[in-house]
C-alpha cells in the first residue's frame, strides 16, 4: 500500500464533491417543500386571463342540461366558484371525485373544472363512468393554462370569489376534513362578504 | 410465525452487515489476515439471512396472509399467482427488500468467486458492500418494515395496482435492480482502491465483469420497462422521459461510459482517476434514483407512495455514501499514478471522446430531470421539462457517439491513423449514401433528417462488419487463416461488435418508428372498415366477459392487406373489480418489420366505439437492438480474460508477477 504525501492534493478533485454537496442541499430543501402546505403565490390575485374550449363529449352535470361549456376568466364574475383541476390519468382524482359529486347534487355552489393535460376522449369517458359534477369544463390539453394557474400536480382545487380573485388553494385530493374545515367555510365566508378564513 | 422469522432474519442481517462493514476494514488497515477474512463468511451469511427474509415475504404473498399489512394492501386472493409473486416487489417496502437482496447477492458472489483477489482488496471491497447494506437494512427496519402485522387481520386484500398486473412489468424490477444495484460492485471496488491507494490493470480486469453483468441486466430491465409502457399505457409511445425512467437511464449512460474507460485502464494503465470517478458516479446515480423515486421530491406517474420521512433517511444515506466516497476521492485520487501517454487520435483518444459525449449527455438528462426541483426550491415557477428538451439536447450529443463508435475500434492504441481508418471504412460510406438516397426515394423527400438517421444506422452496422472483417482478414487471407483468426479473436471483441451492432438496430428502430408512424383515430360501428397504411381493419364488434379478477370489453378487428387476411386483433378494455380502475390492453400484431397496434376506446352509447390504430414501422427493432446490446455484453462476459479468477491466479504466482513487472 502506498501512501504518498499530502503534497499531491489538487483542488480539481474536489469538484465532484462540491457539485454533489450543492445537489444534496437542493434535495434537502426539496424534501421540505410540502406541496400540500405551500401557499399559492396567486392567492389574492385575479385568475390568469385564459379561455379554454369545452371538453368534447362531456356528459351533463346535475342542474345543467345540454352541452357543458368551456371555461374562461370572465365566467367567475358574479358568484363564488370552486375550481377543480383534474385528469382522467390521475388516481387521486378518483379519490376526491365523490366529494364533488355530492357537493354538486346537494348544494348550489358552482363547481367548474380545468381538465389538465388529458386526452378529451379519455376525460369524457372518465366523467361518463364516474359522473360529472362540473358545470363548466375547460380542456387544457397541453397544460399551458395549468402552468398559469401554478398547477403543481393534479388534483388541485381553488376557491375563486365573485370578482374573479383566487382566494384559496388546496393541493392534492380533497379530503372530508379539508372540505369541512377549509373549503366550505371559505366559500360561506366569501358569500357573506367576509374574508376567506 | 413465519413472518416473524423473516423480520428476525432481517435484523440479524443488519448486525452481520455491521460486522462485514467494520472488522475487515480494520483488519486490512492493520494487516491482520484473520480480521480481513471475516469479510467472506459474513457476506455469505448476510446474503443467506436477507434471502430468508425475502422468502418469508414470498410465502406471505403466495398464501395471501392478510394479517400482514403489506400483503393486505398490495395483494388479493383472486390475483393470479404470478401477480401475487410480483406484488412482493410491486410496493415500496417489498422492493427495498429486493434491493438489499440483490446487493447482498453481489456481495456473496464477490466473496465466493473472488477467491483470487488479493486479501486486502477483497476484504475492503466486501466491507464497503457491507456498509452500503447496513445503511439500507437500517432504512428498511426503521422506516419501511414489510413485516408489520394487522390486528385484526384483513379479510381480503386491496389488489395490486392493475397497471402492474402484466407479465412484462412483473419481472422488470428484478432486472432493473440487478442492473443498478449491481453497479454497487464497481463502487465498492473504487472505494477499496482509493483506500488502498492503488489502481492497476488487474484492478480494471476485476471490476469489468461485475460492471458488465450489471450493465447487461440494466439494459434488459430498461428495455422491458419501455416495452411495457409501449403496450400497456396504450399511447403507442415507448419512452416518455419521465423522471422515473430517467432515474434508471442515468446510471445506464454513465455505466456505459465506465465500461469503455475501464478498458483503457486495463489495456493502457491510463485514465485511472476518471475511471474511479465514473465507478463512484454510476452507483451514486443508482442511489439518487432510489431517492428521487421514493422521496416525493419529483412527482411522476409511476412514483411509489412517497413519504418525506423516508426521503430524509435516504438523503442521509446519500450524503454518507456519495459524500464520503467523493471526499475520499478528493483526498486520495490525486495520488494515483497515471500510466501510458497517448496522442489525441488513438484508440484511447476515441474512448475519451466517447466518455466526454456520454457524460455530457448524462449531464443534460440530469439537469432536465432535476430542473423543476431546482427551480421550485429557488422559489421560481413550477415547470415540467418534457420530451422536446430531451430530444433537443440528448440526440445531438449521442449522434457523434454513434459516428465515432465505428472509427474508434479501427484506430491503434497510443497513436492512430485516422485517414487510414476512414479509407478502410469506404464500404460504410457507400452504405450511408445508398441508405440515405434510398430512404429519400422510398419515403419521399419530407424526411431528410430521418433519412440521415437511417444512414447513421447503416454506418454503424456496416462499420462494425468492416471492423470485424479487418480483424479476421476476411477476403484478404486464405479461408483457413480467417478461420484460425476467428477462433483466436477474444470473445470481448465479438461482444463489442455484437453490442455495437445492437446500437445500429436500435437507431433504425427509433428513427423509423418516430418518423413514419401512421395513426388513425376514429369512431367505428361494427361492420365498418378503417384503412391504415395499406392495411384494412374491419371492425367486427365488441364482446364483454370476465377474466380472473377483472371484467373486459374485447373488440375484434379483422385485418387484411390487399384482400389477404393478416390477423385477427383483439384489443381489450379491462375494469379491475377490486379497484374499479380501467386499463387498456392494446392488441399488437407484430412482424419483424412493423407493428400494427390497436386500442379500443369508449362506446358512445349508440353502438359506436372510439378506436385508435397505429402502424409503427421497425418498432420491434428498438427492443431487439437492446437485447442484442445485452447479448454482446454477455458474450464479452464469457471472455476468458474476464472470467473471474483467471487474471488473478497469474498475478498471485510470484514468478509470473515478476515477469509481469519485468
Amino acid at each position: 500500500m502506498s501512501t504518498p504525501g499530502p503534497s499531491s492534493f489538487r483542488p480539481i478533485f474536489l469538484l465532484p464533491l462540491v457539485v454533489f454537496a450543492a445537489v444534496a442541499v437542493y434535495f434537502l430543501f426539496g424534501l421540505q417543500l410540502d406541496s400540500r402546505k405551500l401557499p399559492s403565490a396567486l392567492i389574492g390575485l385575479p385568475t390568469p386571463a385564459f379561455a379554454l374550449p369545452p371538453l368534447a363529449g362531456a356528459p351533463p352535470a346535475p342542474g345543467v342540461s345540454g352541452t357543458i361549456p368551456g371555461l374562461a376568466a370572465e365566467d367567475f364574475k358574479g358568484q363564488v366558484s370552486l375550481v377543480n383541476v383534474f385528469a382522467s390519468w390521475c388516481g387521486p382524482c378518483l379519490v376526491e371525485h365523490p366529494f364533488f359529486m355530492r357537493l354538486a347534487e346537494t348544494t348550489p355552489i358552482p363547481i367548474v373544472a380545468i381538465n389538465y393535460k388529458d386526452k378529451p376522449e379519455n376525460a369524457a369517458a372518465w366523467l361518463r363512468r364516474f359522473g360529472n359534477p362540473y358545470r363548466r369544463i375547460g380542456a387544457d390539453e397541453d397544460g399551458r393554462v395549468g402552468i398559469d394557474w401554478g398547477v403543481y400536480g393534479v388534483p388541485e382545487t381553488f376557491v375563486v370569489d365573485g370578482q374573479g380573485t383566487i382566494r384559496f388553494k388546496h393541493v392534492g385530493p380533497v379530503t372530508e376534513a379539508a372540505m369541512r374545515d377549509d373549503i366550505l367555510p371559505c366559500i360561506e365566508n366569501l358569500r357573506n362578504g367576509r374574508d376567506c378564513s | 410465525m413465519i413472518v416473524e422469522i423473516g423480520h428476525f432474519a432481517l435484523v440479524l442481517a443488519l448486525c452481520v452487515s455491521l460486522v462485514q462493514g467494520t472488522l475487515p476494514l480494520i483488519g486490512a488497515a492493520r494487516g491482520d489476515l484473520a480480521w480481513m477474512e471475516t469479510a467472506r463468511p459474513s457476506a455469505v451469511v448476510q446474503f443467506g439471512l436477507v434471502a430468508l427474509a425475502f422468502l418469508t415475504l414470498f410465502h406471505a404473498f403466495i398464501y395471501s396472509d392478510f394479517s400482514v399489512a403489506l400483503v393486505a394492501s398490495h395483494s388479493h386472493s383472486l390475483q393470479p399467482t404470478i401477480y401475487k409473486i410480483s406484488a412482493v416487489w410491486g410496493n415500496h417496502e417489498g422492493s427495498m427488500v429486493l434491493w438489499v437482496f440483490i446487493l447482498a447477492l453481489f456481495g456473496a458472489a464477490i466473496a465466493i468467486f473472488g477467491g483470487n483477489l488479493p486479501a486486502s482488496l477483497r476484504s475492503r471491497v466486501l466491507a464497503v458492500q457491507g456498509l452500503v447494506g447496513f445503511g439500507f437494512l437500517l432504512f428498511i427496519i426503521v422506516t419501511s418494515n414489510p413485516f408489520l402485522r394487522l390486528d385484526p387481520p384483513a379479510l381480503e386484500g386491496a389488489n395490486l395496482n392493475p397497471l402492474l398486473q402484466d407479465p412484462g412489468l412483473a419481472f422488470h424490477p428484478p432486472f432493473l435492480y440487478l442492473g443498478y444495484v449491481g453497479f454497487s460492485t464497481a463502487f465498492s471496488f473504487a472505494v477499496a482502491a482509493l483506500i488502498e491507494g492503488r489502481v492497476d490493470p488487474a484492478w480494471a480486469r476485476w471490476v469489468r465483469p461485475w460492471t458488465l453483468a450489471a450493465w447487461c441486466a440494466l439494459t434488459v430491465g430498461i428495455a422491458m420497462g419501455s416495452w411495457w409502457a409501449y403496450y400497456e399505457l396504450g399511447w403507442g409511445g415507448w419512452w416518455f422521459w419521465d423522471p422515473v425512467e430517467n432515474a434508471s437511464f442515468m446510471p445506464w449512460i454513465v455505466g456505459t461510459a465506465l465500461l469503455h474507460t475501464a478498458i483503457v485502464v486495463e489495456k493502457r494503465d491510463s485514465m485511472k482517476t476518471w475511471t474511479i470517478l465514473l465507478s463512484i458516479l454510476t452507483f451514486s446515480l443508482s442511489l439518487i434514483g432510489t431517492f428521487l423515486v421514493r422521496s416525493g421530491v419529483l412527482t411522476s406517474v409511476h412514483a411509489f407512495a412517497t413519504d418525506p420521512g423516508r426521503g430524509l433517511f435516504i438523503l442521509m444515506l446519500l450524503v454518507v455514501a456519495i459524500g464520503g466516497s467523493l471526499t475520499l476521492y478528493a483526498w486520495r485520487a490525486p495520488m494515483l499514478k497515471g500510466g501510458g501517454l497517448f496522442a489525441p487520435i488513438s484508440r484511447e483518444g476515441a474512448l475519451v471522446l466517447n466518455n466526454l459525449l456520454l457524460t455530457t449527455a448524462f449531464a443534460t438528462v440530469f439537469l432536465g430531470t432535476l430542473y423543476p426541483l431546482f427551480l421550485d426550491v429557488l422559489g421560481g415557477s413550477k415547470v415540467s421539462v418534457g420530451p422536446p428538451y430531451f430530444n433537443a439536447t440528448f440526440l445531438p450529443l449521442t449522434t457523434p457517439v454513434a459516428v465515432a463508435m465505428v472509427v474508434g475500434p479501427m484506430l491503434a492504441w497510443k497513436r492512430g491513423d485516422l485517414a487510414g481508418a476512414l479509407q478502410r471504412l469506404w464500404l460504410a460510406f457507400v452504405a450511408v449514401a445508398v441508405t440515405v438516397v434510398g430512404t429519400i426515394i422510398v419515403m419521399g423527400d419530407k424526411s431528410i433528417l430521418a433519412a440521415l438517421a437511417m444512414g447513421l444506422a447503416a454506418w454503424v452496422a456496416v462499420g462494425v462488419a468492416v471492423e470485424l472483417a479487418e480483424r479476421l482478414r476476411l477476403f484478404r487471407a486464405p479461408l483457413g487463416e480467417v478461420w484460425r483468426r476467428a477462433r483466436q479473436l477474444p470473445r470481448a471483441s465479438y461482444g463489442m461488435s455484437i453490442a455495437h451492432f445492437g446500437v445500429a438496430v436500435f437507431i433504425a428502430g427509433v428513427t423509423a418508428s418516430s418518423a413514419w408512424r401512421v395513426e388513425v383515430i376514429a369512431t367505428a360501428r361494427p361492420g365498418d372498415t378503417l384503412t391504415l397504411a395499406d392495411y384494412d381493419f374491419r371492425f367486427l364488434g365488441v364482446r364483454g366477459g370476465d377474466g380472473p379478477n377483472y371484467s373486459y370489453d374485447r373488440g375484434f378487428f379483422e385485418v387484411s392487406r390487399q384482400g389477404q387476411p393478416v390477423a385477427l386483433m383483439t384489443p381489450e378494455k379491462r375494469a379491475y373489480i377490486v379497484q374499479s380502475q380501467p386499463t387498456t390492453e392494446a392488441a399488437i400484431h407484430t412482424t419483424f418489420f412493423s407493428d400494427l397496434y390497436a386500442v379500443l376506446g369508449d362506446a358512445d352509447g349508440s353502438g359506436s366505439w372510439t378506436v385508435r390504430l397505429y402502424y409503427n414501422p421497425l418498432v420491434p427493432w428498438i427492443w431487439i437492438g437492446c437485447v442484442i446490446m445485452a447479448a454482446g455484453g454477455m458474450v464479452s462476459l464469457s471472455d476468458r480474460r474476464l472470467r473471474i479468477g483467471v487474471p488473478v491466479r497469474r498475478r498471485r504466482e510470484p514468478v509470473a508477477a515478476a515477469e509481469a513487472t519485468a
Side-chain angles (χ1 to χ4, degrees):
Chain A
M1 202 173 95
S2 61
T3 38
S7 59
S8 53
F9 172 79
R10 280 190 280 156
I12 184 80
F13 285 86
L14 269 176
L15 188 65
L17 185 62
V18 172
V19 172
F20 170 70
V23 171
V25 168
Y26 274 107
F27 284 165
L28 184 63
F29 282 102
L31 275 179
Q32 281 156 359
L33 286 181
D34 186 348
S35 54
R36 271 155 230 273
K37 288 186 190 132
L38 196 71
S40 168
L42 297 172
I43 285 179
L45 296 178
T47 63
F50 74 102
L52 284 173
L55 177 69
V64 183
S65 51
T67 51
I68 300 290
L71 187 67
E74 296 76 56
D75 297 329
F76 297 113
K77 295 277 148 70
Q79 57 179 342
V80 181
S81 4
L82 201 54
V83 186
N84 180 230
V85 183
F86 81 104
S88 66
W89 46 261
C90 139
C93 295
L94 208 51
V95 176
E96 63 171 12
H97 198 70
F99 293 117
F100 290 114
M101 283 309 292
R102 203 181 317 150
L103 207 61
E105 280 157 6
T106 57
T107 70
I109 302 168
I111 310 174
V112 299
I114 295 175
N115 180 225
Y116 181 67
K117 284 193 183 171
D118 207 350
K119 297 239 164 111
E121 66 267 25
N122 294 353
W126 192 84
L127 291 172
R128 271 199 297 277
R129 189 182 172 104
F130 301 109
N132 174 18
Y134 309 120
R135 296 192 188 178
R136 291 176 169 273
I137 301 175
D140 185 23
E141 265 189 86
D142 56 6
R144 285 279 159 76
V145 172
I147 288 175
D148 291 342
W149 278 73
V151 168
Y152 184 77
V154 263
E156 286 191 5
T157 303
F158 297 82
V159 177
V160 178
D161 69 15
Q163 283 78 50
T165 306
I166 299 176
R167 305 301 290 259
F168 182 81
K169 176 183 182 185
H170 180 90
V171 179
V174 168
T175 57
E176 184 86 55
M179 196 57 112
R180 187 185 59 226
D181 300 337
D182 297 329
I183 296 175
L184 292 180
C186 175
I187 293 175
E188 193 56 34
N189 286 337
L190 290 174
R191 290 182 140 192
N192 296 328
R194 288 194 296 260
D195 254 5
C196 171
S197 55
Chain B
M1 181 59 194
I2 288 178
V3 171
E4 278 66 35
I5 291 176
H7 193 174
F8 185 62
L10 211 57
V11 176
L12 264 186
L14 177 79
C15 303
V16 174
S17 69
L18 189 61
V19 173
Q20 184 188 338
T22 49
L23 295 192
L25 271 189
I26 301 170
R30 288 194 191 159
D32 184 331
L33 197 64
W35 281 44
M36 285 192 237
E37 283 306 306
T38 54
R40 297 175 76 184
S42 51
V44 175
V45 170
Q46 192 213 337
F47 170 69
L49 290 167
V50 174
L52 180 63
F54 199 37
L55 283 176
T56 60
L57 209 52
F58 271 100
H59 183 273
F61 271 90
I62 291 172
Y63 291 95
S64 294
D65 182 351
F66 295 128
S67 72
V68 179
L70 193 68
V71 181
S73 51
H74 296 281
S75 191
H76 189 277
S77 56
L78 284 182
Q79 216 160 277
T81 307
I82 175 178
Y83 301 127
K84 287 182 182 167
I85 293 173
S86 68
V88 172
W89 51 72
N91 59 77
H92 165 75
E93 288 83 354
S95 67
M96 282 316 299
V97 178
L98 175 65
W99 207 104
V100 173
F101 171 77
I102 288 172
L103 186 73
L105 174 72
F106 274 93
I110 294 174
I112 292 168
F113 300 112
N116 292 315
L117 288 166
S120 67
L121 180 65
R122 182 178 59 224
S123 56
R124 283 174 170 137
V125 169
L126 288 174
V128 177
Q129 200 82 7
L131 286 175
V132 176
F134 176 77
F136 277 89
L137 282 166
L138 194 65
F139 172 68
I140 294 177
I141 291 167
V142 173
T143 72
S144 322
N145 185 356
F147 297 111
L148 286 181
R149 291 277 195 178
L150 275 182
D151 186 27
L155 291 176
E156 188 46 273
N159 215 348
L160 178 66
N161 182 345
L163 281 177
L164 305 185
Q165 294 192 30
D166 175 277
L169 203 65
F171 297 99
H172 155 72
F175 275 100
L176 206 59
Y177 286 22
L178 263 178
Y180 69 64
V181 181
F183 284 134
S184 63
T185 53
F187 175 81
S188 299
F189 269 98
V191 173
L194 285 173
I195 300 175
E196 299 241 310
R198 189 177 58 211
V199 175
D200 51 22
W203 177 88
R205 271 202 298 277
W206 288 313
V207 175
R208 237 160 70 80
W210 300 103
T211 315
L212 200 51
W215 181 88
C216 291
L218 188 58
T219 308
V220 172
I222 294 176
M224 280 172 100
S226 130
W227 185 51
W228 168 81
Y230 172 69
Y231 70 72
E232 178 72 24
L233 297 182
W235 302 329
W238 53 275
W239 189 260
F240 301 95
W241 294 108
D242 175 275
V244 172
E245 286 174 334
N246 293 349
S248 63
F249 188 47
M250 290 189 287
W252 187 91
I253 308 172
V254 180
T256 308
L258 170 62
L259 282 180
H260 289 91
T261 171
I263 301 174
V264 183
V265 180
E266 184 186 332
K267 299 274 164 90
R268 299 285 306 141
D269 202 17
S270 189
M271 289 177 77
K272 295 174 183 179
T273 52
W274 177 243
T275 305
I276 293 277
L277 181 61
L278 285 184
S279 308
I280 294 175
L281 199 58
T282 307
F283 185 57
S284 300
L285 288 169
S286 303
L287 293 175
I288 289 178
T290 304
F291 169 75
L292 292 179
V293 176
R294 292 158 201 274
S295 66
V297 295
L298 291 177
T299 42
S300 155
V301 251
H302 30 329
F304 280 91
T306 56
D307 175 344
R310 287 174 184 163
L312 195 63
F313 199 115
I314 306 184
L315 183 59
M316 279 163 17
L317 287 181
L318 293 192
V319 169
V320 173
I322 306 177
S325 56
L326 288 179
T327 307
L328 194 64
Y329 178 80
W331 173 37
R332 304 290 295 222
M335 301 170 190
L336 298 172
K337 290 205 184 66
L341 299 172
F342 53 87
I345 303 288
S346 62
R347 184 87 62 90
E348 294 96 319
L351 289 166
V352 169
L353 180 69
N354 151 307
N355 268 252
L356 277 178
L357 291 168
L358 284 178
T359 43
T360 314
F362 143 73
T364 62
V365 177
F366 187 78
L367 268 181
T369 309
L370 292 180
Y371 185 72
L373 172 70
F374 291 162
L375 205 61
D376 195 6
V377 168
L378 293 178
S381 55
K382 317 254 187 284
V383 296
S384 58
V385 176
Y389 163 82
F390 290 104
N391 292 340
T393 55
F394 189 76
L395 298 183
L397 282 165
T398 44
T399 305
V401 176
V403 174
M405 181 166 108
V406 171
V407 185
M410 310 274 295
L411 298 175
W413 293 105
K414 280 176 95 169
R415 173 166 294 141
D417 172 12
L418 185 59
L422 292 179
Q423 231 163 39
R424 284 176 290 153
L425 279 168
W426 63 270
L427 193 60
F429 283 104
V430 173
V432 172
V434 170
T435 310
V436 173
V437 173
T439 310
I440 291 175
I441 291 172
V442 175
M443 304 308 300
D445 55 0
K446 275 184 198 157
S447 41
I448 300 286
L449 214 57
L452 288 175
M454 293 306 275
L456 183 64
W459 165 256
V460 175
V462 176
V464 165
V466 168
E467 194 269 341
L468 193 59
E470 281 258 315
R471 276 181 193 255
L472 303 180
R473 299 192 58 76
L474 198 63
F475 308 123
R476 288 176 196 218
L479 270 181
E481 161 80 1
V482 171
W483 176 240
R484 192 185 60 77
R485 281 174 168 269
R487 282 196 331 197
Q488 281 180 351
L489 195 64
R491 296 263 182 90
S493 281
Y494 285 115
M496 178 197 75
S497 297
I498 294 171
H500 285 185
F501 182 73
V503 175
V505 174
F506 177 80
I507 295 173
V510 172
T511 307
S513 65
S514 45
W516 299 299
R517 157 188 196 171
V518 186
E519 78 178 71
V520 171
I521 300 175
T523 27
R525 295 179 160 278
D528 285 358
T529 298
L530 301 166
T531 305
L532 173 78
D534 48 357
Y535 293 89
D536 291 319
F537 286 69
R538 209 167 96 85
F539 182 39
L540 303 177
V542 175
R543 198 184 301 152
D546 290 314
N549 53 346
Y550 56 86
S551 61
Y552 62 82
D553 284 326
R554 183 180 292 163
F556 293 85
F557 291 91
E558 207 175 58
V559 184
S560 59
R561 187 182 195 177
Q562 285 143 7
Q564 296 294 312
V566 173
L568 178 72
M569 295 180 67
T570 56
E572 282 178 21
K573 270 159 57 80
R574 290 183 184 170
Y576 280 79
I577 297 153
V578 178
Q579 294 183 324
S580 72
Q581 184 176 342
T583 69
T584 60
E585 301 290 317
I588 299 173
H589 174 75
T590 182
T591 64
F592 181 65
F593 292 103
S594 67
D595 274 6
L596 295 176
Y597 186 106
V599 180
L600 184 67
D602 295 292
D604 71 349
S606 68
S608 292
W609 291 76
T610 315
V611 296
R612 282 181 290 139
L613 307 173
Y614 301 93
Y615 167 73
N616 293 325
L618 294 195
V619 81
W621 288 26
I622 293 172
W623 299 290
I624 294 173
C626 293
V627 170
I628 295 175
M629 281 185 234
M634 300 300 283
V635 169
S636 181
L637 202 54
S638 70
D639 193 303
R640 203 178 153 275
R641 290 172 309 136
L642 287 185
R643 220 169 290 151
I644 299 138
V646 173
V648 188
R649 201 166 292 131
R650 198 179 301 143
R651 202 181 178 314
R652 279 180 117 200
E653 287 160 14
V655 184
E659 269 171 18
T661 46

